[in-house]
Amino acid sequence: MINLGVNIDHIATIRQARGTTYPDPVDAVSVCLAAGADSITAHLREDRRHIQDHDIERLAAIPGLHLNMEMGVTDEMVAICERLRPAACCLVPEKREELTTEGGLDVVAHKARLAAAVARLSAVGVRVSMFIDPIPEQIRASREIGAAVVELHTGHYANYFGAAQAKELDALADGAKLARDIGLIVHAGHGLTVENTPAICGLPEVEELNIGHAIVADAIFKGLQQAVADFRAVMVR
């Protein structure tokens, strides 16, 4: 069974839009787990546009929670992750002006800096993932710097249709196979919906999907528990 990680960032986005104390993203944890989620993902961005420091601190303190902390590769974020020691972290590219993470890390170009971050975080027991496009050079570089996991960026696949989407799916399939063959754990995520998730579930190397925006969007109409449960049902099928 593929694991389902639920990203709760956009629950915090709704809270921050009004500057209130609600909805509290931490309250979503028990609902998501009860509906079939295996882990919780939260991205502490440099500009703190949604998840705040007190959110990630409370999430990290929940006993037994498999927390995946998404983060840019900055000294500040690495130090926070070292201190909180979540079960896992995913290193992502981050730009202040972007609406959401656009594309994968360039591991090849920033090999030394990323290797140093991986070493620091691995030393305190955090399993480190690289969020990358399914490009062979990036996959091999992720292995060379000591990352345990690659999360393949599915954003292009999710945004395309027809032949273009099929081409992206082929690239993800090839990338997943290469990653597994060289000893990496394979995750995938970004832009996935109930409609486009089944094909990604068909990639045998993929062990986990991380899904956030679509779940929170669906939850507006049918509730968070049902939104998570629907994704789990699609993955089971």
Side-chain angles (χ1 to χ4, degrees), residues 92-116:
V92 303
E94 190 176 300
K95 301 174 185 175
R96 280 182 176 267
E97 67 273 14
E98 68 187 359
L99 289 176
T100 184
T101 303
E102 298 171 352
L105 278 168
D106 189 344
V107 183
V108 174
H110 304 288
K111 208 168 181 180
R113 183 163 65 93
L114 290 168

Side-chain angles (χ1 to χ4, degrees), residues 187-207:
H187 296 174
H190 204 73
L192 295 179
T193 66
V194 166
E195 291 75 24
N196 63 31
T197 290
I200 303 299
C201 292
L203 304 180
E205 297 83 8
V206 175
E207 297 186 19

Side-chain angles (χ1 to χ4, degrees), residues 41-83:
T41 292
H43 184 173
L44 184 65
R45 293 185 69 109
E46 183 184 14
D47 61 12
R48 308 303 200 271
R49 67 176 62 172
H50 38 56
I51 295 295
Q52 304 296 303
D53 292 71
H54 65 87
D55 296 324
I56 204 75
E57 288 166 358
R58 289 181 297 143
L59 289 166
I62 296 175
L65 176 65
H66 186 100
L67 174 62
N68 175 39
M69 179 179 168
E70 283 192 357
M71 51 185 271
V73 192
T74 66
D75 290 339
E76 178 195 25
M77 291 301 158
V78 172
I80 291 172
C81 193
E82 278 182 311
R83 175 171 59 85

Side-chain angles (χ1 to χ4, degrees), residues 140-163:
R140 292 190 182 96
S142 297
R143 182 71 178 88
E144 289 165 5
I145 65 171
V149 184
V150 288
E151 181 167 332
L152 299 181
H153 173 228
T154 55
H156 300 308
Y157 159 80
N159 290 333
Y160 293 157
F161 299 93

